[in-house]
Structure formats: structure tokens, C-alpha cells
Coordinates of all heavy atoms in Angstrom, one line a residue:
S1 N -11.3 15.9 11.2 CA -11.9 15.2 12.5 C -11.5 13.8 12.4 O -11.0 13.3 11.5 CB -13.5 15.4 12.3 OG -14.0 14.6 11.4
L2 N -11.8 13.3 13.7 CA -11.4 12.0 13.8 C -12.1 11.0 12.9 O -11.7 10.0 12.3 CB -11.6 11.6 15.3 CG -11.2 10.0 15.8 CD1 -9.7 9.8 15.4 CD2 -11.6 9.8 17.2
K3 N -13.4 11.2 12.7 CA -14.3 10.3 12.0 C -13.9 10.4 10.5 O -13.8 9.3 9.9 CB -15.7 10.9 12.1 CG -16.7 9.9 11.5 CD -18.2 10.4 11.6 CE -18.6 9.8 12.9 NZ -20.1 10.1 13.2
T4 N -13.5 11.6 10.0 CA -13.1 11.7 8.6 C -11.7 10.9 8.5 O -11.5 10.2 7.5 CB -12.9 13.0 8.1 OG1 -14.2 13.7 8.5 CG2 -12.5 13.3 6.7
S5 N -10.8 11.2 9.5 CA -9.6 10.4 9.3 C -9.7 9.0 9.4 O -8.9 8.2 8.5 CB -8.7 10.9 10.5 OG -7.3 10.2 10.5
L6 N -10.4 8.4 10.2 CA -10.6 7.0 10.3 C -11.3 6.5 8.9 O -11.0 5.4 8.6 CB -11.5 6.6 11.5 CG -10.7 6.8 12.8 CD1 -11.8 6.5 14.0 CD2 -9.6 6.0 13.0
A7 N -12.2 7.3 8.4 CA -13.0 6.8 7.2 C -11.9 6.7 6.1 O -11.8 5.7 5.3 CB -14.0 7.7 6.7
W8 N -10.9 7.7 5.9 CA -9.9 7.7 4.9 C -8.9 6.5 5.2 O -8.5 5.8 4.2 CB -9.1 9.0 4.9 CG -9.7 10.0 4.0 CD1 -10.4 11.1 4.6 CD2 -9.7 10.1 2.7 NE1 -10.9 11.8 3.5 CE2 -10.5 11.0 2.2 CE3 -9.3 9.2 1.6 CZ2 -10.8 11.6 1.0 CZ3 -9.5 9.5 0.4 CH2 -10.3 10.7 -0.1
K9 N -8.5 6.2 6.4 CA -7.6 5.1 6.8 C -8.3 3.9 6.3 O -7.7 2.9 5.9 CB -7.2 5.2 8.3 CG -6.2 6.2 8.5 CD -5.8 6.3 9.9 CE -4.7 7.2 10.3 NZ -4.8 8.6 9.9
R10 N -9.6 3.7 6.7 CA -10.3 2.6 6.3 C -10.3 2.2 4.8 O -10.1 1.1 4.4 CB -11.7 2.6 7.0 CG -12.3 1.2 7.0 CD -13.8 1.3 7.7 NE -13.6 1.8 9.0 CZ -14.1 2.9 9.7 NH1 -14.8 3.7 9.0 NH2 -13.9 3.1 11.0
L11 N -10.6 3.3 4.1 CA -10.6 3.1 2.6 C -9.2 2.8 2.1 O -9.1 1.9 1.2 CB -11.0 4.6 1.9 CG -10.9 4.5 0.5 CD1 -12.0 3.5 -0.1 CD2 -11.2 5.9 0.1
I12 N -8.1 3.4 2.6 CA -6.9 3.1 2.3 C -6.3 1.7 2.6 O -5.8 1.0 1.8 CB -5.7 4.1 2.9 CG1 -5.9 5.4 2.3 CG2 -4.4 3.6 2.7 CD1 -5.3 6.6 3.0
C13 N -6.8 1.2 3.7 CA -6.5 -0.2 4.2 C -7.2 -1.2 3.2 O -6.8 -2.2 3.0 CB -7.0 -0.5 5.5 SG -5.8 0.4 6.8
N14 N -8.5 -1.0 2.8 CA -9.3 -1.8 2.1 C -8.7 -1.8 0.5 O -8.6 -3.0 0.0 CB -10.7 -1.4 1.9 CG -11.6 -1.6 3.2 OD1 -11.2 -2.6 3.9 ND2 -12.5 -0.9 3.4
V15 N -8.2 -0.9 0.0 CA -7.6 -0.8 -1.3 C -6.2 -1.5 -1.2 O -6.0 -2.3 -2.0 CB -7.3 0.7 -1.8 CG1 -6.4 0.8 -2.9 CG2 -8.7 1.3 -2.0
F16 N -5.5 -1.3 0.1 CA -4.2 -2.2 0.2 C -4.4 -3.6 0.3 O -3.8 -4.3 -0.4 CB -3.7 -1.7 1.4 CG -2.4 -2.3 1.9 CD1 -1.2 -2.0 1.2 CD2 -2.4 -3.3 2.9 CE1 0.0 -2.8 1.7 CE2 -1.2 -4.0 3.2 CZ 0.0 -3.7 2.5
L17 N -5.4 -4.0 1.0 CA -5.8 -5.5 1.1 C -6.1 -6.1 -0.3 O -5.6 -7.1 -0.7 CB -7.1 -5.6 2.1 CG -7.6 -7.1 2.2 CD1 -6.5 -8.0 2.9 CD2 -8.9 -7.0 2.9
V18 N -7.0 -5.3 -1.2 CA -7.2 -5.8 -2.5 C -6.0 -6.0 -3.3 O -5.8 -6.9 -4.0 CB -8.4 -5.0 -3.1 CG1 -8.5 -5.3 -4.5 CG2 -9.7 -5.1 -2.4
A19 N -5.1 -4.9 -3.3 CA -4.0 -4.9 -4.1 C -3.0 -6.0 -3.7 O -2.5 -6.7 -4.5 CB -3.4 -3.6 -4.0
V20 N -2.8 -6.1 -2.4 CA -1.8 -7.3 -2.0 C -2.5 -8.7 -2.3 O -1.7 -9.6 -2.6 CB -1.5 -7.0 -0.4 CG1 -0.9 -8.2 0.2 CG2 -0.7 -5.8 -0.3
T21 N -3.6 -8.7 -2.0 CA -4.3 -10.0 -2.4 C -4.2 -10.5 -3.8 O -3.9 -11.6 -4.2 CB -5.8 -10.1 -2.0 OG1 -5.9 -9.8 -0.6 CG2 -6.5 -11.4 -2.2
F22 N -4.4 -9.4 -4.7 CA -4.1 -9.8 -6.2 C -2.7 -9.9 -6.5 O -2.4 -10.8 -7.2 CB -4.8 -8.7 -7.1 CG -4.5 -8.9 -8.5 CD1 -5.2 -9.8 -9.1 CD2 -3.5 -8.2 -9.2 CE1 -4.9 -10.2 -10.5 CE2 -3.2 -8.5 -10.5 CZ -3.9 -9.4 -11.2
Y23 N -1.9 -9.2 -5.9 CA -0.4 -9.2 -6.2 C 0.2 -10.6 -5.8 O 0.9 -11.3 -6.6 CB 0.4 -8.2 -5.6 CG 1.9 -8.2 -5.6 CD1 2.4 -8.3 -6.8 CD2 2.6 -8.3 -4.4 CE1 3.8 -8.4 -6.9 CE2 4.0 -8.5 -4.5 CZ 4.5 -8.6 -5.6 OH 6.0 -8.8 -5.7
L24 N -0.1 -10.9 -4.6 CA 0.5 -12.2 -4.0 C -0.2 -13.6 -4.4 O 0.2 -14.2 -5.4 CB 0.9 -12.1 -2.6 CG 1.9 -11.0 -2.3 CD1 2.1 -10.9 -0.7 CD2 3.2 -11.5 -2.8
P25 N -1.2 -13.9 -3.6 CA -1.9 -15.2 -3.8 C -2.6 -15.4 -5.3 O -2.2 -16.3 -6.1 CB -2.8 -15.5 -2.8 CG -3.1 -14.2 -2.2 CD -1.9 -13.2 -2.6
I26 N -3.3 -14.4 -5.7 CA -4.1 -14.7 -6.9 C -3.1 -14.3 -8.1 O -3.2 -15.2 -9.0 CB -5.3 -13.5 -6.9 CG1 -6.3 -13.9 -5.8 CG2 -5.9 -13.6 -8.3 CD1 -7.4 -13.0 -5.7
G27 N -2.4 -13.3 -8.1 CA -1.5 -13.1 -9.1 C -0.4 -14.2 -9.5 O -0.1 -14.5 -10.6
M28 N 0.0 -14.7 -8.3 CA 1.0 -15.7 -8.5 C 0.4 -17.1 -8.9 O 1.0 -17.8 -9.7 CB 1.7 -16.1 -7.1 CG 2.6 -14.9 -6.7 SD 3.4 -15.2 -5.0 CE 4.4 -16.5 -5.4
S29 N -0.9 -17.3 -8.6 CA -1.4 -18.5 -9.1 C -1.8 -18.4 -10.6 O -2.0 -19.4 -11.3 CB -2.6 -18.9 -8.3 OG -3.7 -17.9 -8.5
L30 N -2.0 -17.2 -11.0 CA -2.2 -17.0 -12.6 C -1.0 -17.2 -13.5 O -1.2 -17.4 -14.6 CB -3.0 -15.7 -12.7 CG -4.3 -15.4 -12.0 CD1 -4.7 -14.0 -12.3 CD2 -5.3 -16.4 -12.7
V31 N 0.2 -17.0 -13.0 CA 1.4 -17.1 -13.7 C 1.6 -18.5 -14.1 O 1.6 -19.5 -13.4 CB 2.5 -16.4 -13.1 CG1 3.9 -16.7 -13.8 CG2 2.3 -15.0 -12.7
S32 N 1.9 -18.8 -15.5 CA 2.1 -20.1 -15.9 C 3.6 -20.5 -15.9 O 3.9 -21.7 -15.7 CB 1.4 -20.4 -17.3 OG 2.0 -19.4 -18.2
D33 N 4.3 -19.6 -16.2 CA 5.9 -19.8 -16.3 C 6.6 -18.7 -15.7 O 6.6 -17.6 -16.2 CB 6.2 -20.0 -17.8 CG 7.7 -20.5 -18.1 OD1 8.2 -20.9 -17.0 OD2 8.0 -20.6 -19.2
W34 N 7.4 -19.0 -14.6 CA 8.2 -18.2 -13.9 C 9.4 -17.8 -14.6 O 10.1 -16.9 -14.3 CB 8.3 -18.6 -12.5 CG 7.1 -18.3 -11.6 CD1 6.1 -19.4 -11.3 CD2 6.5 -17.2 -11.2 NE1 5.2 -18.9 -10.7 CE2 5.3 -17.5 -10.5 CE3 7.1 -15.9 -11.2 CZ2 4.6 -16.5 -9.8 CZ3 6.3 -14.9 -10.5 CH2 5.1 -15.2 -9.9
Q35 N 9.9 -18.7 -15.5 CA 11.1 -18.5 -16.2 C 11.1 -17.5 -17.4 O 12.0 -16.9 -17.7 CB 11.7 -19.8 -16.6 CG 11.8 -21.0 -15.5 CD 12.8 -20.4 -14.3 OE1 13.9 -19.8 -14.6 NE2 12.3 -20.6 -13.0
H36 N 10.0 -17.5 -18.0 CA 9.8 -16.6 -19.3 C 8.7 -15.7 -19.0 O 7.4 -16.1 -19.2 CB 9.5 -17.6 -20.5 CG 10.7 -18.5 -20.8 ND1 10.8 -19.8 -20.2 CD2 11.8 -18.3 -21.5 CE1 11.9 -20.3 -20.5 NE2 12.4 -19.5 -21.5
Y37 N 9.0 -14.5 -18.8 CA 7.9 -13.5 -18.3 C 7.1 -13.2 -19.7 O 6.0 -12.8 -19.6 CB 8.6 -12.2 -17.8 CG 9.0 -12.3 -16.4 CD1 9.6 -11.4 -15.8 CD2 8.7 -13.5 -15.7 CE1 10.0 -11.4 -14.5 CE2 8.9 -13.7 -14.3 CZ 9.6 -12.5 -13.8 OH 10.0 -12.7 -12.5
S38 N 7.7 -13.4 -20.9 CA 7.1 -13.1 -22.0 C 5.8 -13.9 -22.3 O 5.0 -13.5 -23.1 CB 8.1 -13.2 -23.3 OG 8.4 -14.6 -23.4
N39 N 5.7 -15.0 -21.5 CA 4.5 -15.8 -21.8 C 3.2 -15.2 -21.0 O 2.2 -15.4 -21.5 CB 4.7 -17.1 -21.2 CG 5.9 -18.1 -22.0 OD1 6.1 -17.7 -23.2 ND2 6.4 -19.1 -21.5
D40 N 3.5 -14.5 -20.0 CA 2.4 -13.9 -19.2 C 2.6 -12.4 -19.0 O 2.6 -12.0 -17.8 CB 2.2 -14.6 -17.9 CG 1.9 -16.1 -17.9 OD1 1.1 -16.5 -18.8 OD2 2.6 -16.9 -17.3
V41 N 2.8 -11.6 -20.1 CA 3.1 -10.2 -19.9 C 1.9 -9.6 -19.3 O 2.2 -8.6 -18.3 CB 3.3 -9.7 -21.3 CG1 3.6 -8.1 -21.3 CG2 4.6 -10.3 -21.9
A42 N 0.7 -9.7 -19.6 CA -0.5 -9.1 -19.0 C -0.5 -9.4 -17.6 O -0.8 -8.4 -16.7 CB -1.7 -9.4 -19.8
I43 N -0.3 -10.6 -17.1 CA -0.4 -10.9 -15.6 C 0.7 -10.1 -14.9 O 0.5 -9.7 -13.8 CB -0.5 -12.4 -15.5 CG1 -1.8 -13.0 -16.2 CG2 -0.3 -12.8 -14.1 CD1 -1.8 -14.5 -16.2
H44 N 1.9 -10.3 -15.4 CA 3.0 -9.6 -14.8 C 3.0 -8.3 -14.6 O 3.2 -7.5 -13.7 CB 4.4 -10.1 -15.4 CG 4.8 -11.4 -15.2 ND1 5.1 -11.8 -13.8 CD2 5.0 -12.4 -16.0 CE1 5.4 -13.1 -14.0 NE2 5.3 -13.6 -15.3
T45 N 2.3 -7.6 -15.7 CA 2.0 -6.1 -15.6 C 1.0 -5.7 -14.6 O 1.2 -4.6 -13.8 CB 1.6 -5.7 -17.1 OG1 2.7 -6.0 -18.0 CG2 1.4 -4.1 -17.1
A46 N -0.1 -6.4 -14.6 CA -1.1 -6.2 -13.6 C -0.5 -6.6 -12.1 O -0.9 -5.7 -11.2 CB -2.3 -7.1 -13.9
R47 N 0.3 -7.5 -11.9 CA 0.9 -7.7 -10.7 C 1.9 -6.6 -10.2 O 1.9 -6.1 -9.1 CB 1.8 -9.0 -10.6 CG 0.8 -10.2 -10.7 CD 1.7 -11.5 -10.6 NE 2.1 -11.6 -9.2 CZ 3.5 -11.7 -8.9 NH1 4.5 -11.8 -9.8 NH2 4.0 -11.8 -7.6
A48 N 2.5 -6.0 -11.2 CA 3.4 -4.8 -11.0 C 2.6 -3.7 -10.6 O 2.9 -2.8 -9.7 CB 4.3 -4.6 -12.2
V49 N 1.4 -3.4 -11.3 CA 0.6 -2.2 -11.0 C 0.1 -2.5 -9.6 O 0.0 -1.5 -8.8 CB -0.4 -2.1 -12.0 CG1 -1.5 -1.2 -11.5 CG2 0.1 -1.8 -13.3
A50 N -0.3 -3.7 -9.1 CA -0.9 -3.9 -7.8 C 0.1 -3.7 -6.8 O -0.2 -3.2 -5.8 CB -1.4 -5.4 -7.8
Q51 N 1.3 -4.0 -7.1 CA 2.5 -3.8 -6.1 C 2.7 -2.4 -6.0 O 2.8 -2.0 -4.8 CB 3.8 -4.5 -6.7 CG 5.0 -4.4 -5.7 CD 6.1 -5.1 -6.1 OE1 6.4 -5.3 -7.3 NE2 7.1 -5.4 -5.2
H52 N 2.7 -1.7 -7.0 CA 3.0 -0.2 -6.9 C 1.7 0.5 -6.1 O 1.8 1.5 -5.4 CB 3.1 0.5 -8.3 CG 4.5 0.2 -8.9 ND1 4.8 -1.0 -9.4 CD2 5.5 1.0 -8.7 CE1 6.0 -0.9 -9.8 NE2 6.5 0.3 -9.5
V53 N 0.5 0.0 -6.3 CA -0.8 0.5 -5.6 C -0.6 0.2 -4.1 O -0.9 1.1 -3.3 CB -2.0 -0.2 -6.3 CG1 -3.2 0.2 -5.2 CG2 -2.2 0.5 -7.6
S54 N 0.0 -1.1 -3.9 CA 0.1 -1.4 -2.4 C 1.2 -0.5 -1.7 O 0.9 0.0 -0.6 CB 0.7 -2.7 -2.3 OG -0.2 -3.7 -2.8
V55 N 2.4 -0.1 -2.4 CA 3.3 0.8 -1.8 C 2.6 2.3 -1.7 O 2.9 2.9 -0.7 CB 4.5 0.8 -2.7 CG1 5.6 1.9 -2.3 CG2 5.2 -0.5 -2.6
F56 N 1.9 2.7 -2.7 CA 1.3 4.0 -2.7 C 0.3 4.2 -1.4 O 0.2 5.0 -0.7 CB 0.5 4.2 -4.0 CG -0.1 5.5 -4.0 CD1 0.6 6.6 -4.1 CD2 -1.5 5.7 -3.9 CE1 -0.1 8.0 -4.0 CE2 -2.2 6.7 -4.1 CZ -1.4 8.0 -4.1
C57 N -0.3 2.9 -1.2 CA -1.3 2.9 0.0 C -0.7 3.0 1.2 O -1.0 3.6 2.1 CB -2.1 1.5 0.0 SG -3.5 1.6 -1.4
L58 N 0.6 2.3 1.4 CA 1.3 2.5 2.6 C 1.9 4.0 2.8 O 1.8 4.6 3.9 CB 2.6 1.6 2.5 CG 2.3 0.1 2.7 CD1 3.6 -0.7 2.5 CD2 1.8 -0.1 4.0
C59 N 2.2 4.6 1.6 CA 2.7 6.0 1.7 C 1.4 6.9 2.2 O 1.6 7.9 3.1 CB 3.3 6.5 0.5 SG 4.9 5.7 0.0
C60 N 0.4 6.7 1.6 CA -0.9 7.5 1.9 C -1.2 7.1 3.3 O -1.7 8.1 4.1 CB -2.0 7.1 1.0 SG -1.8 7.7 -0.5
F61 N -1.2 6.0 3.8 CA -1.7 5.6 5.1 C -0.7 6.4 6.3 O -1.3 7.0 7.1 CB -1.7 4.0 5.4 CG -2.0 3.7 6.8 CD1 -3.4 3.6 7.1 CD2 -1.2 3.4 7.8 CE1 -3.9 3.3 8.4 CE2 -1.7 3.2 9.1 CZ -3.0 3.0 9.4
F62 N 0.4 6.2 6.0 CA 1.3 6.9 7.1 C 1.4 8.4 6.8 O 1.5 9.2 7.7 CB 2.6 6.3 7.0 CG 2.7 5.0 7.5 CD1 2.9 3.9 6.8 CD2 2.6 4.7 8.9 CE1 2.8 2.6 7.4 CE2 2.5 3.5 9.5 CZ 2.7 2.5 8.8
G63 N 1.1 8.8 5.6 CA 1.0 10.4 5.3 C -0.1 10.9 6.0 O -0.3 12.1 6.3
T64 N -1.2 10.2 6.1 CA -2.5 10.9 6.7 C -2.2 11.1 8.2 O -2.8 12.0 8.8 CB -3.7 9.9 6.7 OG1 -3.3 8.6 7.3 CG2 -4.0 9.6 5.2
M65 N -1.3 10.6 8.7 CA -0.8 10.8 10.1 C -0.4 12.3 10.3 O -0.4 13.0 11.3 CB 0.1 9.8 10.7 CG -0.5 8.6 10.8 SD 0.6 7.3 11.6 CE -0.3 5.8 11.5
Y66 N 0.1 12.9 9.2 CA 0.4 14.3 9.2 C -0.7 15.2 9.5 O -0.7 16.2 10.3 CB 1.2 14.8 7.8 CG 1.4 16.2 7.9 CD1 2.5 16.7 8.5 CD2 0.6 17.1 7.2 CE1 2.8 18.1 8.4 CE2 1.0 18.4 7.2 CZ 2.0 18.9 7.9 OH 2.2 20.2 7.8
W67 N -1.9 14.9 9.0 CA -3.1 15.6 9.2 C -3.6 15.4 10.6 O -4.3 16.1 11.1 CB -4.0 15.3 8.1 CG -3.7 16.0 6.8 CD1 -3.9 17.3 6.6 CD2 -3.2 15.5 5.6 NE1 -3.5 17.7 5.3 CE2 -3.0 16.5 4.7 CE3 -2.8 14.2 5.3 CZ2 -2.5 16.3 3.4 CZ3 -2.3 14.0 4.0 CH2 -2.1 15.1 3.1
D68 N -3.4 14.2 11.2 CA -3.8 13.8 12.5 C -3.1 14.7 13.5 O -3.5 15.0 14.4 CB -3.7 12.4 12.7 CG -4.5 11.5 11.9 OD1 -5.5 12.1 11.4 OD2 -4.3 10.3 11.8
F69 N -1.7 14.8 13.3 CA -0.8 15.4 14.3 C -0.5 16.8 13.9 O 0.1 17.5 14.7 CB 0.4 14.6 14.5 CG 0.0 13.2 15.1 CD1 0.4 12.0 14.3 CD2 -0.7 13.0 16.2 CE1 0.1 10.7 14.8 CE2 -1.0 11.7 16.7 CZ -0.7 10.6 15.9
G70 N -0.5 17.3 12.7 CA -0.1 18.4 12.3 C 1.3 18.7 12.3 O 2.2 17.9 11.9
D71 N 1.6 19.8 12.8 CA 3.1 20.2 13.0 C 3.6 19.9 14.4 O 4.4 20.7 15.0 CB 3.4 21.7 12.6 CG 2.5 22.6 13.5 OD1 1.7 22.1 14.2 OD2 2.8 23.7 13.2
L72 N 3.1 18.9 15.0 CA 3.5 18.4 16.4 C 5.0 18.2 16.4 O 5.4 17.4 15.4 CB 2.8 17.2 16.8 CG 3.0 16.6 18.1 CD1 2.5 17.7 19.3 CD2 2.3 15.3 18.3
E73 N 5.6 18.8 17.3 CA 7.1 18.7 17.4 C 7.6 18.0 18.7 O 6.8 18.2 19.8 CB 7.8 19.8 17.3 CG 7.6 20.6 16.0 CD 8.4 21.9 15.9 OE1 9.2 22.1 16.7 OE2 8.0 22.7 15.0
F74 N 8.4 17.1 18.7 CA 8.9 16.4 19.8 C 10.2 16.9 20.2 O 11.1 16.9 19.5 CB 9.0 14.9 19.7 CG 7.5 14.2 19.6 CD1 7.2 13.8 18.3 CD2 6.7 13.9 20.6 CE1 5.8 13.3 18.1 CE2 5.6 13.3 20.6 CZ 5.1 13.1 19.2
F75 N 10.5 17.2 21.5 CA 11.7 17.8 22.0 C 12.5 16.6 22.7 O 11.8 16.1 23.7 CB 11.6 19.1 22.6 CG 11.1 20.2 21.8 CD1 9.8 20.5 21.7 CD2 11.9 20.8 20.8 CE1 9.3 21.5 21.0 CE2 11.4 21.8 20.1 CZ 10.1 22.1 20.1
I76 N 13.7 16.4 22.6 CA 14.4 15.6 23.5 C 14.9 16.4 24.6 O 15.7 17.3 24.3 CB 15.6 14.9 22.8 CG1 15.0 14.1 21.7 CG2 16.4 14.0 23.6 CD1 15.9 13.3 20.7
V77 N 14.6 16.2 25.7 CA 15.2 16.9 27.0 C 16.4 16.2 27.5 O 16.2 15.0 27.8 CB 14.1 16.9 28.1 CG1 14.7 17.8 29.2 CG2 12.9 17.6 27.5
Q78 N 17.4 16.9 27.5 CA 18.8 16.3 28.1 C 19.0 16.9 29.4 O 18.9 18.2 29.5 CB 19.9 16.5 26.9 CG 19.6 15.7 25.7 CD 20.7 15.9 24.7 OE1 21.6 16.8 25.0 NE2 20.7 15.1 23.7
G79 N 19.3 16.1 30.4 CA 19.7 16.7 31.6 C 21.1 16.9 31.9 O 22.0 16.7 31.2

């Protein structure tokens, strides 16, 4: 139903927002040395996980549109 679809999309968007916020502004501000990753291994690992979660959220968001439209097919009509 539309209500369920919107609830899932809202949840996915909220997770995406949190992951991107941690990955970019917060995660970048926590890194002490950009030249030597070995100094901040835990932070870089957490940032990488947040980045992967963000990409997963994008795939899930656009993947939910399959359930919205089902097997809807578009045909190109040529004259």
C-alpha cells in the first residue's frame, strides 16, 4: 500500500541522512591526520562503513520503486 511504501522510504531516508552526516562532516572532523591513515584506523573504518550504508540506502530507496510499480512496462511507439 502507499502508506507502507512511504513509511519504508521515510525510514531509508532517515538512515541515509544519519550515515551521510557521519561520513562527511562529523567523520571528517574527527580525522587527525589525512596523510597517515594508520593514525586513525577506527575512524576511517567507521567512515567506510557509513559510506557503504549510504550507498546501500540509495539502492534500497530506488529498489522500493519496483514494489510501487511492479512489472509496469513502457513501450516506445514509433510512427
